Amino acid sequence: MLIGGIEAGGTKMVCAVGDENGVIKDRASFPTRQPEETFKDMIAYYRNWDIQALGIGCFGPIDLNKQSETYGYITKTPKPGWGNCDIVGAFKRELGIPVGFDTDVNGAVLGEVTWGAAKGLDSAIYITIGTGVGVGVYVNGGLLHGLVHPEGGHVLLMKHPKDTYEGKCPFHETCVEGMASGPAIEARWGKKAIELADREEVWEMEAYYIAQAVTDYILSYSPQKIILWGGVMHQEKLFWMVRKEVQRLLNGYVAHEMITTDKINDYIVPPALGEDPGIMGAVKLGLDALG
Ligand code: ADP
Ligand code: ZN
């Protein structure tokens, strides 16, 4: 059986075809332009495949309320042309198959829970730290939606005592995205993150912020696994720095060996699906839409 999976991003749309085991058979990438011309390319791609369903992990904010008239829409994005865009409807109409829909990060956590680092667990979170910061939440065996959907990339943080940077987020002074995203690092230190690799103070501050957010998610969701990824996490030292800082911040309060001992190395981890949690998760969203 073939299922389509789309990772819908602000700069590119990755379209893939996978099977019920998450094995990706083919993929193509299209630059994100205006919705109509972008969808045309994507639909033409899928017409070459006999897919039974489609899943879309999408940049947001999006409407996930199935009772809403605008279910399946990208809602209020500042991205020109994409506000109030019926992305699910566009594919349903043209392809006539069930379409599953969720945030890109919920798609990614679903991929890791189904086939990756959190396989078999019933609670996990996936945090991407790249151009933006996003958090996908899987709790009690399902993706968390709620009033809208979680926006963990914008939880508020204590400012580092030595940080004079005012923050990159236009909505909040000190949220994770504002303080710890790739563009925030670049604006604070005046160089691209990758060029700051050997500057210890850069990563000490970065770990301080990421760990605060991770600590808040541990306290709020009690996840059984925390998967960290995105361009910034290519600085691999951040993994042990964040683990250590999480232990310091929690200060023994959550008295579980996964946190208080070296088992934390297996608790806060990179994805097991390499660069593919999002696209494999999108395939799973499609599979689940089949019912
Ligand atoms: P996006 O979030 O746009 O999907 P990425 O997850 O690749 O894309 O994140 C891009 C961000 O990650 C950029 O701000 C870039 O500076 C940062 N980045 C990419 N590679 C590295 C690296 N090796 N070390 C530190 N930061 C990096
Ligand atoms: Zn913010």
Side-chain angles (χ1 to χ4, degrees):
M1 179 168 52
L2 295 178
I3 306 286
I6 295 174
E7 222 179 342
T11 53
K12 65 178 195 284
M13 298 282 180
V14 182
C15 297
V17 174
D19 68 12
E20 64 275 22
N21 300 313
V23 177
I24 303 298
K25 309 278 186 190
D26 192 68
R27 73 180 81 201
S29 176
F30 304 100
T32 306
R33 290 143 290 154
Q34 288 301 295
E36 206 172 313
E37 51 177 327
T38 312
F39 292 161
K40 216 168 119 192
D41 289 349
M42 297 162 78
I43 286 159
Y45 170 79
Y46 281 116
R47 289 208 194 283
N48 293 322
W49 294 90
D50 184 23
I51 55 171
Q52 309 296 302
L54 178 70
I56 306 173
C58 192
F59 69 97
I62 59 179
D63 188 347
L64 292 170
N65 174 7
K66 289 195 170 156
Q67 263 64 56
S68 158
E69 275 179 21
T70 53
Y71 168 76
Y73 280 50
I74 296 166
T75 54
K76 267 179 70 180
T77 175
K79 194 172 170 57
W82 287 84
N84 208 29
C85 168
D86 181 12
I87 181 166
V88 168
F91 287 92
K92 248 193 181 148
R93 273 191 303 275
E94 291 296 325
L95 299 174
I97 51 175
V99 177
F101 186 55
D102 218 306
T103 63
D104 43 9
V105 276
N106 266 358
V109 76
L110 182 64
E112 287 289 325
V113 165
T114 311
W115 293 299
K119 192 172 169 181
L121 301 181
D122 65 15
S123 298
I125 61 170
Y126 180 99
I127 308 161
T128 176
I129 303 165
T131 308
V133 177
V135 184
V137 185
Y138 187 89
V139 282
N140 292 342
L143 294 169
L144 185 62
H145 292 162
L147 185 66
V148 184
H149 46 74
E151 285 282 10
H154 293 262
V155 295
L156 307 179
L157 307 175
M158 293 179 288
K159 200 156 175 170
H160 190 287
K162 290 190 188 144
D163 194 3
T164 54
Y165 178 55
E166 69 278 12
K168 190 82 190 162
C169 176
F171 294 90
H172 315 112
E173 279 179 16
T174 57
C175 69
V176 202
E177 184 165 303
M179 302 313 274
S181 62
I185 297 173
E186 193 174 330
R188 176 186 293 111
W189 302 99
K191 270 188 184 173
K192 289 209 173 305
I194 197 163
E195 292 161 11
L196 296 159
D198 53 6
R199 292 268 300 273
E200 207 175 311
E201 67 276 25
V202 171
W203 307 106
E204 191 262 329
M205 199 175 278
E206 184 69 9
Y208 174 83
Y209 287 130
I210 296 171
Q212 277 191 60
V214 168
T215 298
D216 289 348
Y217 309 143
I218 291 172
L219 293 168
S220 308
Y221 303 127
S222 204
Q224 294 160 324
K225 191 75 85 177
I226 294 167
I227 299 153
L228 271 174
W229 205 229
V232 171
M233 290 308 297
H234 286 94
Q235 296 295 318
E236 283 176 28
K237 56 189 170 277
L238 277 175
F239 280 95
W240 67 260
M241 295 175 88
V242 167
R243 291 173 189 135
K244 231 173 84 193
E245 187 64 10
V246 165
Q247 286 175 327
R248 190 185 71 81
L249 288 168
L250 281 171
N251 198 21
Y253 183 73
V254 181
H256 193 287
E257 60 177 7
M258 291 308 291
I259 295 170
T260 57
T261 73
D262 281 353
K263 290 194 174 171
I264 197 167
N265 295 331
D266 190 39
Y267 181 57
I268 300 174
V269 297
L273 305 178
E275 299 298 330
D276 285 348
I279 204 71
M280 290 172 72
V283 168
K284 180 68 163 91
L285 286 172
L287 262 176
D288 290 350
L290 273 177

